[in-house]
Amino acid sequence: MSTFNMATPLCRRIFPNSKVFGRFSQCQRGIRTNATFSRVQRNQKFCLYGTAAATSLYFGWKWLENNAVVEAARPSRRMMEDQSLRGLKLNHRERRFIKFASVEYQGQLYMTPQDFIESVTDSEPRPRLKRRTLWDKDLDRFHQETPSLSKGSPDMFRTIFDKGIISYTEYLFLLSILTKPQTGFRIAFNMFDTDGNQRVDKEEFLVLEKIFSTARRDRLNRALEGVVKVADAGLYPTGEEEPEPLEDELQKSHVVDTTLLVHFFGRKGKQDLKFEEFKMFMENLQTEVLEIEFNEFSKGLPAITELDFARILLRYTYLQSDQYEMYLERLLDRIPDGQGITFNEFKSFCQFLNTLDDFAIAMRMYTLADQPISQEEFHRAVKICTGAELSPHIVDTVFKIFDDDGDGQLSYKEFIAIMRDRLHRGFKTQLPREGWEGFKACIKDEMTRDDPSTPSL
């Protein structure tokens, strides 16, 4: 009976609800009620044999199940690459492009001209259910409706609206245009003009793809180093093909004539781009983005208030809410009844911001000598950097915003730091300010603050 009692828990564990355990229980009751030793012996042998058979069947079934799961779960090369790509840390521009891109063609994401405008003027994209999938017929229609270079205007992106596509590398190119000063237009053009004939053809312009994509592809390849090592070790399923060129949803190997390419080089791609045309395109794009920002606050009027001007300057900064309110309240106290700021004044000031690096060099002469910055000195530095003059009213408004104690002197370092945030439209990397990372950043900042080898703003 001791052997029978030892077998009972094992059989119950293996088949808790099966007929086998029911049969086993019947045997148990029969053994307890029958007094004949021979019958007890026969039933005991039967139960022991049954338990052994059931145990063999159970472990055999589990072995087959485990082998089947392992075989089905063995990852393919593409699965492992996709997992590595999902684990890749995207930079801020990549995340923003993916966030605002509303169309897809052959697995690659694209922005529409409307998406691009929203990405540099709004914090969030417009609500949508899903991305729109484009087909060849859609691209043909877009090409027909894309205006030629001679018909470019400061409202071209708003006119095309969602009937065009912009690739990720073109998105980076357009972002760089928004922060280029007038003096940088020629430099940008000469970078494309590889043969120096003062014209840029389509093939020369496509060098842009290589310039902007090299760093990203290097990052992707580093992320997949582990996958390559696994492949070299022969751990991929047999019969799988050699690795294909690395691609992801931002950069595919297929060639598509985007709206920008058709606008610059025509539908057949045979036209050349001259410097004056290139310069006009850059000026039109800068003007269009500024008009959209200005109109957001002007509500159809010819001018915005000084308070709205301050809001535009501070909208892309990383100020705390109490600091933000402090600047606005300071301006209200100092200019209770403003005269307003026109679009031309606003545009001139924003174009000045594109020369902020040169302006910082000019201002550093005063800061090294520990001298305050007056409005007259500010005007002179702007004239030197841009060749143009700002209106006295807009300079006075800037001083009212950034003058800490109201003595008519500019708080230079604070002004430069906040204007850099404005210039980069929130794309500048923000230092962590919370937790352990914030503590380390603060210590590093304090240790380098008084270091003469550390360049100032």
Side-chain angles (χ1 to χ4, degrees):
M1 291 296 292
S2 60
T3 304
F4 182 85
N5 291 333
M6 291 173 60
T8 301
L10 177 62
C11 193
R12 180 186 296 275
R13 183 176 181 181
I14 298 174
F15 298 103
N17 298 318
S18 66
K19 293 182 180 180
V20 175
F21 183 73
R23 179 61 176 166
F24 185 86
S25 299
Q26 292 178 5
C27 293
Q28 183 183 24
R29 288 192 297 269
I31 291 172
R32 289 174 178 173
T33 55
N34 292 326
T36 306
F37 175 79
S38 60
R39 188 173 182 179
V40 169
Q41 191 175 29
R42 287 196 302 271
N43 281 299
Q44 187 175 12
K45 288 181 179 180
F46 171 77
C47 291
L48 289 174
Y49 293 153
T51 301
T55 304
S56 299
L57 289 173
Y58 172 76
F59 285 108
W61 171 75
K62 293 297 292 183
W63 181 84
L64 291 174
E65 182 185 47
N66 289 337
N67 279 348
V69 170
V70 170
E71 184 66 27
R74 181 178 295 171
S76 67
R77 180 180 184 87
R78 179 56 57 188
M79 289 173 60
M80 296 182 70
E81 288 181 353
D82 289 344
Q83 291 172 358
S84 297
L85 290 176
R86 284 196 297 268
L88 179 67
K89 184 177 181 180
L90 301 177
N91 62 39
H92 189 42
R93 288 178 174 84
E94 291 167 341
R95 292 196 303 270
R96 195 162 183 84
F97 181 87
I98 294 173
K99 186 177 184 179
F100 281 83
S102 64
V103 297
E104 176 183 342
Y105 174 72
Q106 293 186 1
Q108 180 166 338
L109 301 183
Y110 290 92
M111 277 184 171
T112 65
Q114 178 193 15
D115 295 335
F116 174 76
I117 292 296
E118 291 178 351
S119 71
V120 297
T121 57
D122 297 333
S123 58
E124 296 292 332
R126 66 189 184 281
R128 63 171 181 264
L129 295 178
K130 62 178 181 179
R131 289 190 177 92
R132 180 164 54 110
T133 301
L134 300 178
W135 307 96
D136 291 338
K137 62 179 181 179
D138 297 315
L139 296 189
D140 292 339
R141 179 166 51 88
F142 292 170
H143 295 165
Q144 294 175 2
E145 297 180 5
T146 301
S148 63
L149 199 56
S150 60
K151 296 182 179 179
S153 65
D155 61 354
M156 187 184 78
F157 277 57
R158 285 171 287 183
T159 301
I160 298 176
F161 198 58
D162 62 348
K163 297 178 177 61
I165 56 173
I166 298 171
S167 67
Y168 174 67
T169 51
E170 291 172 343
Y171 167 71
L172 297 180
F173 166 66
L174 295 175
L175 284 180
S176 69
I177 288 179
L178 295 180
T179 59
K180 280 283 186 297
Q182 296 282 337
T183 55
F185 290 176
R186 171 63 74 175
I187 297 175
F189 182 83
N190 290 339
M191 289 296 294
F192 292 117
D193 185 16
T194 56
D195 56 11
N197 65 349
Q198 300 303 308
R199 295 171 179 267
V200 174
D201 58 31
K202 184 177 179 180
E203 294 302 320
E204 289 176 320
F205 187 82
L206 287 177
V207 175
L208 168 78
E209 298 286 337
K210 298 179 181 179
I211 294 175
F212 284 106
S213 64
T214 299
R216 174 173 172 77
R217 292 195 181 280
D218 288 345
R219 289 174 54 235
L220 293 178
N221 286 327
R222 287 194 298 270
L224 293 177
E225 283 181 356
V227 177
V228 174
K229 291 179 181 178
V230 172
D232 293 340
L235 299 181
Y236 284 116
T238 58
E240 193 157 336
E241 299 180 356
E242 291 297 321
E244 299 177 356
L246 184 60
E247 297 180 349
D248 67 330
E249 60 184 0
L250 293 186
Q251 292 175 328
K252 296 285 186 180
S253 59
H254 64 245
V255 179
V256 178
D257 283 337
T258 62
T259 299
L260 209 57
L261 291 176
V262 175
H263 178 64
F264 282 162
F265 307 106
R267 298 175 190 174
K268 296 182 179 181
K270 303 298 183 181
Q271 300 177 12
D272 289 340
L273 180 64
K274 302 176 184 178
F275 171 70
E276 291 302 324
E277 297 169 332
F278 183 69
K279 177 182 178 183
M280 183 60 65
F281 171 80
M282 299 178 81
E283 290 177 346
N284 286 340
L285 179 61
Q286 289 183 353
T287 301
E288 182 164 9
V289 172
L290 294 178
E291 281 182 354
I292 292 173
E293 285 188 298
F294 186 85
N295 293 336
E296 178 184 350
F297 290 90
S298 68
K299 309 299 182 183
L301 298 176
I304 60 176
T305 65
E306 287 77 6
L307 187 63
D308 288 335
F309 174 70
R311 289 194 178 104
I312 294 177
L313 293 186
L314 301 176
R315 72 188 307 184
Y316 298 109
T317 60
Y318 298 111
L319 296 173
Q320 299 293 332
S321 58
D322 55 344
Q323 293 176 302
Y324 178 84
E325 295 296 333
M326 177 197 69
Y327 283 113
L328 299 184
E329 291 177 0
R330 178 192 294 171
L331 180 63
L332 284 175
D333 293 339
R334 295 174 179 177
I335 308 181
D337 298 321
Q339 67 185 55
I341 295 175
T342 66
F343 175 72
N344 287 334
E345 290 177 318
F346 172 70
K347 179 181 177 181
S348 297
F349 183 80
C350 292
Q351 289 176 337
F352 148 70
L353 290 182
N354 288 343
T355 66
L356 199 61
D357 289 337
D358 294 336
F359 178 80
I361 294 174
M363 290 294 97
R364 193 178 305 160
M365 297 174 58
Y366 294 101
T367 57
L368 290 177
D370 198 22
Q371 296 293 321
I373 307 300
S374 65
Q375 291 196 27
E376 181 181 354
E377 293 161 344
F378 188 93
H379 274 289
R380 183 168 179 268
V382 171
K383 176 72 172 179
I384 294 173
C385 296
T386 66
E389 295 183 356
L390 297 178
S391 71
H393 174 60
I394 202 167
V395 172
D396 182 65
T397 302
V398 169
F399 270 67
K400 292 292 193 299
I401 298 173
F402 296 101
D403 179 6
D404 282 337
D405 51 14
D407 62 352
Q409 307 297 319
L410 183 69
S411 302
Y412 158 74
K413 289 187 177 180
E414 192 171 14
F415 168 76
I416 292 292
I418 292 178
M419 290 304 98
R420 286 193 191 278
D421 290 341
R422 156 67 195 179
L423 179 64
H424 293 286
R425 296 176 176 272
F427 286 103
K428 190 175 70 172
T429 303
Q430 182 182 11
L431 294 176
R433 293 302 177 191
E434 295 180 357
W436 173 244
E437 294 299 325
F439 175 75
K440 290 193 296 183
C442 182
I443 293 296
K444 182 178 180 181
D445 182 60
E446 290 298 325
M447 292 179 65
T448 59
R449 183 182 299 276
D450 297 325
D451 186 355
S453 63
T454 302
S456 61
L457 290 173

